[in-house]
Amino acid sequence: LNILFLSQIEPPERWLPGLRAALPADRFFTLDAYDPAQIDIALVACPKPGILGALPRLQLVQSMFMGVDPLLADARFPRTVMLARLIDTGMVNAMGETAIAHILDWHRHHYAYRQDKLARRWNRLGQHLPSDRMIGILGMGELGTSVSQRLLALGFGVCGWSRRPRQVPGVQGFHGDAGLQALLAQSDALVCLLPLTAQTRGVMNAANLARMKPGGCIINLARGAHAVVPDVLAALDSGRLAHAYLDVFEVEPLPQDSPLWAHPGVTITPHAAAITEPRTAIQRIAANIELFRAGKPLPNLVDFGAGY
Ligand code: NAP
């Protein structure tokens, strides 16, 4: 198979030695030298818009990221070609660590103690048990399900929201619009792990934040457009929300003049919740390509109709 490595941000030298070792029978090309007419598979991470449509023999696009919304936003993306998401254990574990770090920061009041330290204020806050807290997870896919199991292991209550009904052990499941309202009404904290689609854009808005239990937090680890920033800031200023942990933003890097930078109620991380990890991802990519070579069905293909 002829495989084109297409990325404007991932350096080929970080990936190609491992890929060549894992798939010794295949030929890898980069943008420096390739024949568009010969490419069977494209490995992509933020490719130049339009480039995939110019590969006539292309049969499989393998994303090097878990989220594919930027690919689907390209009107010239060839929708007759299979698009496989990357499900990478290294990334799934990293996301679990990030979600737990933020939940514990909020649960143990560390976000407040950081402010107290700046003010030289000794102010011990009340203790909650994890079982006092209900964590609502928006998006119960690969990432949301994994995070739910880590939270349950720590003793937190967990409820989850998906598009279709979904049973996950220990998690109270909700789906659809009515399900979202029911989940919000009992959630102290929200962890957003949704794909960005027309239906999920702006889900953390004033009306939905107002339905959460007061004094909680939101943790957006999915896409910036899931949170309506003025609504989040208003909920923080009114005390409705105690803290917002934001990893993703509509414009990245977050512009210098964003009010989020200076707000004491906001923790910012630079889209670093879970970073693609070649050491674990290459095995998964190679396994997918072997399934493709054998003509077997591939897991984690994107449903173009659903948008994820
Ligand atoms: P996934 O396996 O496709 O799961 C998506 C979940 O969201 C599913 O449970 C799905 O419901 C649910 N969902 C989709 N549309 C919905 C709707 N309209 N209403 C309610 N639920 C809806 O995705 P994943 O692998 O967990 O990844 C989730 C997202 O995380 C990615 O799309 C990406 O944007 C983001 N991400 C961020 C980082 C970072 O570093 N910050 C890293 C990796 C990924 P069903 O179960 O019914 O399908």
Side-chain angles (χ1 to χ4, degrees), residues 95 192-196 219-224 226 247-248 271:
M95 189 60 90
C192 183
L193 287 165
L194 287 163
L196 183 62
I219 302 174
N220 188 11
L221 307 176
R223 289 291 183 260
H226 286 126
D247 183 57
V248 282
H271 200 143

Side-chain angles (χ1 to χ4, degrees), residues 133-244:
R133 310 283 211 177
M134 179 60 84
I135 315 299
I137 302 182
L138 304 180
M140 285 297 291
E142 298 287 340
L143 295 170
T145 299
S146 162
V147 166
S148 75
Q149 300 307 298
R150 287 175 181 256
L151 288 168
L152 288 170
L154 291 173
F156 290 97
V158 183
C159 51
W161 187 53
S162 49
R163 188 167 60 94
R164 299 158 291 187
R166 194 180 255 263
Q167 304 277 331
V168 176
V171 177
Q172 203 182 341
F174 295 96
H175 68 280
D177 287 343
L180 176 61
Q181 302 313 314
L183 174 140
L184 292 167
Q186 61 179 44
S187 292
D188 295 292
L190 283 185
V191 181
C192 183
L193 287 165
L194 287 163
L196 183 62
T197 66
Q199 289 72 37
T200 64
R201 180 176 288 273
V203 66
M204 284 177 285
N205 56 35
N208 285 341
L209 296 175
R211 290 193 180 94
M212 292 172 65
K213 292 208 246 162
C217 73
I218 60 164
I219 302 174
N220 188 11
L221 307 176
R223 289 291 183 260
H226 286 126
V228 180
V229 167
D231 294 2
V232 172
L233 291 173
L236 288 165
D237 290 340
S238 71
R240 178 91 209 160
L241 273 183
H243 206 76

